[in-house]
Amino acid sequence: MQHYKVGDKRLDRRCQQLQTQLMHRDCGQSLPRLFKQSAQLKAFYWLVNSPKLTPKAMSKAYPDGVVDWASRQPKTAKEH
């Protein structure tokens, strides 16, 4: 999944990894239970506390990433 474009390639990659991990888990659990390895939990806390990852950046990052991803997909329908 390459839907996040925060502006920093490491943050983009980390957002994508976390999204993939969280999609396959019960998000009703506590964070320590969601991230079974302490390194994963620390990486999550590092990400959400990053000064580069502001609410404004996140609200723009996902839509921009989806538009970028969609524009790279092969055309499947005839354009009229």
Side-chain angles (χ1 to χ4, degrees):
M1 299 204 151
Q2 297 182 359
H3 298 160
Y4 283 96
K5 300 289 181 188
V6 179
D8 179 309
K9 290 184 187 268
R10 291 180 307 151
L11 288 178
D12 292 346
R13 187 171 44 252
R14 191 68 194 135
C15 285
Q16 293 162 17
Q17 290 169 345
L18 284 170
Q19 179 187 21
T20 301
Q21 288 175 349
L22 293 174
M23 284 175 37
H24 301 297
R25 298 198 174 125
D26 175 12
C27 291
Q29 297 181 34
S30 67
L31 292 173
R33 287 183 186 221
L34 282 173
F35 300 104
K36 298 187 187 325
Q37 298 175 353
S38 63
Q40 291 175 327
L41 182 59
K42 286 179 184 180
F44 173 79
Y45 282 128
W46 176 86
L47 178 70
V48 297
N49 287 307
S50 171
K52 292 181 180 180
L53 196 64
T54 63
K56 183 178 179 181
M58 282 303 294
S59 67
K60 185 169 174 20
Y62 187 74
D64 285 357
V66 170
V67 168
D68 179 55
W69 172 82
S71 69
R72 291 183 279 115
Q73 300 308 303
K75 304 276 188 231
T76 58
K78 287 186 178 181
E79 293 183 21
H80 297 283

